[in-house]
Amino acid sequence: MSNSSKPSLLIARAIFPEVIARLQNNFTLELNQEDCIFSPTELAQRLQGKFGMLCTSSARIDATLLAACPELRIVSSIAVGYDNIDLHACQHFGVMATNAPDVLSETTADYAWALLMAAARRVTEAEHFLRAGQWQKWSYDFFLGAEIHGTCLGILGMGRIGQAIARRASGFGMRVIYHNRQRLTPEQEAAAHGASYVEKERLLQEADHLMLALPYSPEVHHIIGAPELALMKPSATLCNIARGGIVDDTALIAALREGRLAAAGLDVFENEPRLNPDFLQLKNVVLSPHIASATRQTRLAMVNTAANNLIAAARGERPPQLLVV
Ligand code: GLV
């Protein structure tokens, strides 16, 4: 194919050079390896004349943007979560939208456990203490944390990632309970370490450690707020590897500060990357910058999934991970 016959593609964020090399065979590329975050106006300008865009969840894809980009045919995200994409608007404007599920489930579940263990066993708090030169002597009640093995793990959102988190509970001899829009089949429950379905209220009341693994949508905005936190055990741990906005961060900060919840492990925040600064004052929260899927292998697989979707669309085929159109 000559350059001029290739469709144009905006790669809206920095990505792996090897995937750029793959995409070069199929597209004329506009790159952003400096990794600037484009404003909506700049994004619309850069999308003029483009057939497609490869993006992350930092790009807001809405009717205003799509109306301004009439040649756009596909938006391909490297993320599994697509709350940044207005699927109705995509349908209305005839723009395909794709995401990158599956390839990150196991890695994200690994990280959920890393956060849970760090929060429950106070790993980062103890490390900060040590780094600050405060360790004078060992003592029997030094950084007492919460038990993990043999306790009850609650999972809110039992999709692929939730099920992968549940499977890992077998090594810890935990009982797993979950709540989900849809109950799993008995076979799926058996494969998820025998997880049992419970109502949300019971999940909150019984879990010693609660994992949030549900996709964000306006319907679940602040699904964990002050009333839900009040139902949880004061000794419990809450971990969010899903999306900011699912938890009311202000209510969570109050619960952690007042000892109504023992600890939290958070990889996602409302308004990230500008998280509520009050989190930084709390010792009983482990904070990380949205890195649950961050291994080289997994991130490469996510970007390649997005590339596969784009290449299929350019060939007039159905993208494997088509969400809409
Ligand atoms: C990460 O948050 C993703 O949705 O892939």
Side-chain angles (χ1 to χ4, degrees):
M1 251 198 244
S2 79
N3 244 7
S4 56
S5 63
K6 290 183 192 172
S8 291
L9 179 69
L10 174 67
I11 303 188
R13 296 291 305 273
I15 61 165
F16 295 99
E18 52 265 57
V19 187
I20 295 177
R22 272 188 75 205
L23 287 166
Q24 245 150 8
N25 297 325
N26 298 272
F27 297 96
T28 302
L29 299 181
E30 180 173 336
L31 301 175
N32 175 19
Q33 288 301 85
E34 306 76 32
D35 209 27
C36 305
I37 304 287
F38 300 138
S39 69
T41 312
E42 195 171 1
L43 189 60
Q45 278 162 4
R46 286 177 188 268
L47 282 172
Q48 294 311 302
K50 299 290 190 303
F51 165 86
M53 165 164 67
L54 187 150
C55 65
T56 68
S57 44
S58 67
R60 180 135 301 283
I61 315 299
D62 56 16
T64 312
L65 180 79
L66 298 180
C69 308
E71 285 159 86
L72 192 64
R73 283 289 142 274
I74 176 165
V75 169
S76 176
S77 173
I78 71 161
V80 62
Y82 48 86
D83 47 290
N84 58 314
I85 306 177
D86 180 340
L87 295 185
H88 291 294
C90 288
Q91 201 146 37
H92 177 80
F93 289 97
V95 176
M96 289 178 273
T98 63
N99 69 338
D102 298 320
V103 290
L104 79 176
S105 302
E106 299 297 329
T107 302
T108 302
D110 289 346
Y111 192 78
W113 276 90
L115 266 188
L116 165 55
M117 295 209 270
R121 296 300 308 275
R122 305 173 64 180
V123 174
T124 55
E125 183 188 354
E127 187 187 355
H128 288 145
F129 170 88
L130 185 150
R131 283 181 186 272
Q134 292 176 281
W135 190 16
Q136 303 299 335
K137 62 177 171 44
W138 183 92
S139 64
Y140 77 98
D141 60 351
F142 219 20
F143 290 103
L144 299 180
E147 213 69 90
I148 297 172
H149 72 274
T151 62
C152 175
L153 175 66
I155 304 177
L156 183 59
M158 200 59 153
R160 289 163 286 217
I161 295 172
Q163 291 173 52
I165 293 170
R167 285 196 297 276
R168 284 156 174 75
S170 66
F172 290 88
M174 294 170 92
R175 180 165 73 89
V176 179
I177 55 177
Y178 74 96
H179 183 76
N180 196 43
R181 267 176 311 185
Q182 249 186 315
R183 196 176 170 154
L184 302 186
T185 63
E187 295 72 27
Q188 287 172 320
E189 288 184 348
H193 185 51
S196 3
Y197 176 88
V198 293
E199 290 305 327
K200 189 179 138 208
E201 185 165 308
R202 200 171 138 209
L203 182 84
L204 294 164
Q205 287 167 335
E206 274 186 32
D208 294 305
H209 305 287
L210 181 64
M211 287 281 187
L212 305 180
L214 67 165
Y216 178 83
S217 66
E219 295 75 53
V220 299
H221 186 72
H222 288 186
I223 195 171
I224 301 295
E228 290 74 23
L229 292 165
L231 290 176
M232 292 180 68
K233 298 179 183 178
S235 55
T237 310
L238 174 70
C239 289
N240 188 2
I241 47 92
R243 273 288 181 280
I246 291 172
V247 176
D248 176 345
D249 283 352
T250 307
L252 176 59
I253 287 165
L256 289 167
R257 188 186 282 139
E258 293 159 22
R260 289 185 279 112
L261 188 71
L266 306 174
D267 190 45
V268 289
F269 306 88
E270 293 190 278
N271 308 316
E272 63 182 56
R274 284 172 293 281
L275 66 158
N276 187 323
D278 290 349
F279 276 126
L280 306 179
Q281 307 307 320
L282 294 171
K283 289 187 174 168
N284 53 347
V285 60
V286 177
L287 308 166
S288 63
H290 204 145
I291 57 168
S293 64
T295 66
R296 182 181 159 79
Q297 294 91 325
T298 293
R299 286 282 166 83
L300 188 57
M302 292 163 75
V303 180
N304 269 319
T305 301
N308 295 343
N309 285 323
L310 289 161
I311 292 167
R315 290 182 178 148
E317 296 162 10
R318 182 188 162 89
Q321 307 297 349
L322 189 63
L323 293 166
V324 80
V325 173

